[in-house]
Amino acid sequence: MEKIQHSHVQVRGLKLHVAQIGTGPKVVLFLHGFPEIWYSWRHQMIAAANAGFRAIAFDFRGYGLSDHPPEPEKANFKDLVDDVVALLDLLGINKVFLVGKDFGAVPAFMVAVIHPERVLGVITLGIPFLIPGPVGIQFDLLPKGFYILRWAEPGRAEADFGRFDVKTVVRNIYILFCRSELQVAGENEEIMDLVDPSTPLPPWFTEEDLEVYATLYQNSGFRTALQVPYRCSQLDYGITNPKVTAPSLLIMGEKDYFMKFPGMEEYMKKGIVTQFIPNLDITFMPEGNHFVQEQLPEQVNELIITFLNKN
């Protein structure tokens, strides 16, 4: 971990926090989810560097040690796409492997669709090919009280989270989201109420890990993080007939709650997803949950490095 270098770079008017390790000619850019951060990729960055690649992860705008945009409530996925391309330009990187986890998969796919000349390959964890608009989550099919619907309501998550300190919020989300059930609150409860305070952290997520996350989110808060992804996922980004032509890999835990999203298991297992991403390999990990890269890092690292070396 101490070999990972940290810096702030000016990207599109904001200072973004960038973590890097490795000096190989081929570059891997890691894109985090929520409530994640550059640190979510610690195991994969070191593995990629040890395999001869240059590994980069950054905190999205408004996350961790990166600046908030001037109007967080207007932030959206296109901002992340533009940030990725501008960061690559700034660092003098022509082509890159993109690795996205959770909602970080969305900008990975969008970059691959809009800027295919910049992409060597795409790996996503926990989310198959989705782009808001043409191939997005079907919000009308989600159960009432589901976390995505709750957190999309301005002010609701802020009030829910505000009852606790930041460390407890991150702790609760990790505990709740590593389960295989969908996170649905009843009429008179909020999402944070779904976690029993006595529940221990999962064994692969230490108190030290939690402290790192809590410190980073104490710095940024949740203002931009709730906007992107939860409050901009139903915007139309003007993408029609999307297709990813780059070699791609989906790593999916069989115990990931995302498997229970309406239609998702069929979308992945019956090959419907390959209509949009034809050069796709899918690996299902029987014991994997939504945080598979932290839960089973050695297995995930092997899958990622094998893909990188092949492409």
Side-chain angles (χ1 to χ4, degrees):
M1 287 292 292
E2 65 276 0
K3 290 182 180 177
I4 295 177
Q5 304 292 312
H6 296 268
S7 61
H8 277 85
V9 298
Q10 196 79 15
V11 175
R12 301 177 62 238
L14 300 177
K15 281 186 181 176
L16 300 185
H17 168 247
V18 178
Q20 300 188 61
I21 186 171
T23 57
K26 288 190 175 181
V27 182
V28 189
L29 181 63
F30 294 91
L31 306 173
H32 66 77
F34 177 85
E36 296 167 301
I37 214 77
W38 78 266
Y39 183 79
S40 311
W41 296 113
R42 58 199 178 280
H43 305 300
Q44 287 69 45
M45 291 179 73
I46 291 168
N50 288 342
F53 295 87
R54 180 182 177 189
I56 303 171
F58 72 103
D59 294 344
F60 289 144
R61 51 174 54 209
Y63 278 78
L65 299 177
S66 291
D67 286 349
H68 283 277
E71 296 181 279
E73 287 71 27
K74 293 184 178 178
N76 59 61
F77 282 116
K78 185 63 165 55
D79 290 324
L80 302 188
V81 171
D82 293 344
D83 287 348
V84 167
V85 174
L87 179 62
L88 295 179
D89 289 344
L90 184 74
L91 298 176
I93 298 166
N94 185 36
K95 287 193 158 195
V96 70
F97 287 103
L98 295 173
V99 185
K101 156 76 190 352
D102 184 67
F103 88 82
V106 175
F109 290 133
M110 289 177 71
V111 170
V113 169
I114 300 168
H115 305 282
E117 74 285 354
R118 307 302 295 269
V119 178
L120 290 167
V122 180
I123 302 173
T124 62
L125 296 85
I127 289 194
F129 183 79
L130 291 175
I131 284 183
V135 194
I137 292 169
Q138 295 176 281
F139 283 81
D140 56 323
L141 298 181
L142 297 175
K144 187 180 176 184
F146 191 43
Y147 82 96
I148 285 180
L149 300 179
R150 288 290 181 88
W151 292 353
E153 294 179 36
R156 184 144 195 177
E158 289 88 338
D160 186 11
F161 294 0
R163 299 176 293 157
F164 308 94
D165 60 28
V166 169
K167 183 186 276 191
T168 302
V169 172
V170 175
R171 180 190 189 97
N172 285 352
I173 294 173
Y174 258 82
I175 289 169
L176 189 60
F177 285 64
C178 72
R179 298 172 182 169
S180 58
E181 307 88 34
L182 294 179
Q183 306 81 359
V184 182
E187 197 168 323
N188 297 312
E189 64 181 353
E190 298 298 329
I191 299 300
M192 290 291 105
D193 298 327
L194 299 176
V195 181
D196 184 327
S198 66
T199 306
L201 285 170
W204 42 265
F205 192 75
T206 67
E207 288 290 343
E208 291 76 19
D209 294 331
L210 177 61
E211 186 62 42
V212 172
Y213 279 87
T215 300
L216 291 166
Y217 274 97
Q218 277 162 358
N219 184 72
S220 64
F222 297 103
R223 187 178 175 189
T224 304
L226 287 166
Q227 173 64 24
V228 184
Y230 301 105
R231 295 171 188 166
C232 68
S233 288
Q234 297 189 68
L235 296 179
D236 184 350
Y237 292 93
I239 298 172
T240 55
N241 301 316
K243 187 159 281 192
V244 172
T245 55
S248 303
L249 171 67
L250 169 62
I251 300 171
M252 198 79 203
E254 292 271 15
K255 295 184 177 178
D256 188 329
Y257 71 87
F258 198 81
M259 295 284 286
K260 292 184 178 170
F261 272 51
M264 273 304 146
E265 186 164 6
E266 183 180 23
Y267 178 61
M268 290 181 276
K269 291 193 171 179
K270 290 195 174 176
I272 302 167
V273 64
T274 58
Q275 295 174 22
F276 308 101
I277 186 164
N279 297 319
L280 175 68
D281 290 327
I282 304 178
T283 296
F284 290 101
M285 301 181 71
E287 297 302 314
N289 63 37
H290 191 61
F291 301 101
V292 69
Q293 89 281 12
E294 295 180 276
Q295 175 203 12
L296 301 168
E298 290 181 6
Q299 294 176 45
V300 169
N301 292 351
E302 185 177 342
L303 290 168
I304 289 175
I305 301 306
T306 300
F307 176 88
L308 298 176
N309 283 330
K310 193 170 68 175
N311 295 289

